[in-house]
Amino acid sequence: MRSRRLLFTLLMMAGVACAPPERSPTGAAADKAAAAPATPADIHARALVVDSHDDTTQRLFYDKAFDLGARHPDGNIDIPRMREGGLDALFFSIWVPSDVTGPIAVKRALQLIDSVHEAVRKHPNDFVLATTASDVRRAASEKKIAALMGMEGGHMIDDDLGTLRDYARLGVRYLTLTHFKNNNWADSSTDTPAHNGLTDFGKDVVRELNRLGVMVDISHVADKTFADVLEITTVPVIASHSSCRAIARHPRNMTDEMMQALAKNGGVIMINYEVSFLSEEHRAAGEKSGGVVAALGQMSKKCGGDEACSTLELARVTREAMAKGTLPAVSWEKIVEHIDHAAKVAGVDHVGLGSDFDGATMPIGMEDASQLPKLTAALTAKGYSAVDVEKILGGNILRVMEQVEQGAARVPDPSKAPR
Ligand SMILES: [Zn+2]
């Protein structure tokens, strides 16, 4: 009796010392489980899947009836499809077109930030607002989706570091320095160079982002702007939604040399799923009618400035053209090709996922977030280890977030410098 009680006590202690797994297989089943390698589905379920660029914010803002909690037949993102695809964290983009500037751009940016906060408030069982890497990990442990915010276009700070600090206070955790057009302090990859990269104020913006612990995003910027950023930043930077120029020669994509420089900086390129950034054949065919930048501008006019309408409509029309064969069809496997290329050129520690869901035309087979497990299966089939796949799915961007957070703590506050 005594020994049985001792055994019970020992078992209880062992139970306390190491938290039991949800299901603890015994005997032969345990041996089999230990011997069986993790399946792609296991790897995907265990990984923290983080998407660094998503434009659903436009739907939240323009369509007040849009419910993130319901499954939709259009668009790429809602809670049911995120759950199905195992998407654990998402950067909602705060985006105002480049030609909307000044106080109007600031007001719109604040409205978009409010739309994200309100979506989180309305879905407390599914979403939690996150501003740090540890917030993202905590959200996943609570089975919630981490909602983060990134601001796409430096014009929204209206040339004012105070406004930038206000955005940071509201939870914005990266700033894409430009969008399609240059702003007053940085050149864009899709505009005629005006500043030879960054102006002195543009350099101050990068320093202030470093100090605030907000990531610098070099997607959209001109190659020279990217080079200037690397000269100044004291922490790793990100390309929140860019692909590889060696595969599709769009100026929005990064060259191999740029990716290698980004890797040296410790940063990460988050692969964009937009068809004209994935496929050279599709890009070249689309270029004949002005390319994706012009097409988006035309669609925006047609939609009367409703940006949710313009991106959804352009995606619908482009996918129809791919189905009819008037534009070359692009398959989801192209995303894997870009991830693989970036991993080979920059290293597996420097690549991640930046879909551009609800802001771009998705390739066939990647219609929405529910399709994400395909990427894990394809990478595993290519020979990527579980550890490497987990880095690509989210580990790398979380590492950069942590480095940027730690870097901020090291930067002295310039306002406290002795005079
Ligand atoms: Zn973009």
Side-chain angles (χ1 to χ4, degrees), residues 9-279:
T9 311
L10 283 171
L11 282 171
M12 285 300 286
M13 283 168 70
V16 169
C18 48
E22 271 177 33
R23 275 165 293 151
S24 33
T26 51
D31 292 344
K32 204 178 159 194
T39 64
D42 296 335
I43 297 168
H44 196 85
R46 195 173 56 209
L48 274 175
V49 184
V50 184
D51 184 338
S52 60
H53 197 85
D54 168 83
D55 275 305
T56 313
T57 324
Q58 302 297 325
R59 294 194 90 174
L60 296 172
F61 175 66
Y62 283 101
D63 181 1
K64 300 298 178 214
F66 177 76
D67 178 9
L68 258 180
R71 197 185 181 96
H72 294 264
D74 61 353
N76 316 124
I77 287 283
D78 48 47
I79 291 165
R81 289 184 289 176
M82 290 173 85
R83 292 287 193 195
E84 208 175 302
L87 186 52
D88 297 297
L90 185 68
F91 279 84
F92 284 94
S93 179
I94 306 303
W95 170 69
V96 174
S98 303
D99 50 4
V100 179
T101 56
I104 300 169
V106 176
K107 166 126 197 226
R108 176 85 62 82
L110 291 172
Q111 288 171 318
L112 292 166
I113 291 170
D114 175 63
S115 299
V116 175
H117 280 264
E118 283 298 282
V120 171
R121 187 176 68 80
K122 284 177 197 155
H123 300 283
N125 297 327
D126 291 294
F127 274 122
V128 62
L129 196 77
T131 58
T132 64
S134 64
D135 283 351
V136 173
R137 294 202 169 90
R138 195 176 319 117
S141 73
E142 291 167 3
K143 307 256 182 290
K144 287 185 185 174
I145 300 166
L148 300 110
M149 285 181 286
M151 177 165 280
E152 186 179 21
H155 60 295
M156 280 172 271
I157 72 166
D158 195 21
D159 306 331
D160 182 356
L161 295 181
T163 304
L164 171 63
R165 288 189 286 270
D166 282 337
Y167 292 143
R169 288 177 189 115
L170 292 171
V172 169
R173 281 302 172 267
Y174 72 70
L175 178 71
T176 320
L177 300 182
T178 71
H179 192 247
F180 285 143
K181 288 186 182 149
N182 302 336
N183 53 40
N184 293 335
W185 46 269
D187 283 340
S188 164
S189 63
T190 43
D191 200 350
T192 312
H195 309 299
N196 189 30
L198 283 176
T199 66
D200 285 345
F201 177 74
K203 290 173 186 173
D204 284 345
V205 171
V206 172
R207 291 186 194 101
E208 190 63 358
L209 287 166
N210 284 176
R211 191 185 71 78
L212 291 167
V214 173
M215 293 184 284
V216 179
D217 176 18
I218 57 80
S219 281
H220 279 285
V221 306
D223 294 8
K224 178 58 168 61
T225 308
F226 167 72
D228 285 357
V229 167
L230 289 195
E231 291 265 307
I232 293 156
T233 185
T234 55
V235 289
V237 302
I238 62 166
S240 72
H241 59 310
S242 293
S243 300
C244 307
R245 215 181 289 174
I247 302 176
R249 288 196 298 275
H250 199 288
R252 273 283 283 105
N253 287 344
M254 294 182 81
T255 65
D256 288 0
E257 293 73 29
M258 288 165 85
M259 287 195 286
Q260 279 158 354
L262 182 74
K264 216 169 141 200
N265 154 271
V268 58
I269 173 171
M270 310 294 282
I271 300 297
N272 189 320
Y273 311 166
E274 153 66 34
V275 285
S276 61
F277 300 165
L278 289 178
S279 157

Side-chain angles (χ1 to χ4, degrees), residues 268-345:
V268 58
I269 173 171
M270 310 294 282
I271 300 297
N272 189 320
Y273 311 166
E274 153 66 34
V275 285
S276 61
F277 300 165
L278 289 178
S279 157
E280 174 58 19
E281 202 193 353
H282 186 100
R283 183 203 68 80
E287 207 60 41
K288 286 178 193 142
S289 53
V292 67
V293 177
L296 204 54
Q298 282 158 11
M299 205 53 93
S300 178
K301 273 193 200 121
K302 213 170 134 185
C303 286
D306 176 336
E307 302 304 339
C309 159
S310 61
T311 44
L312 284 177
E313 263 303 284
L314 182 60
R316 192 186 60 75
V317 169
T318 310
R319 284 182 62 89
E320 232 171 62
M322 290 199 290
K324 274 194 232 149
T326 47
L327 273 176
V330 183
S331 160
W332 68 274
E333 280 139 321
K334 269 281 177 194
I335 303 168
V336 182
E337 198 183 318
H338 281 259
I339 294 171
D340 189 45
H341 182 82
K344 283 197 175 103
V345 169

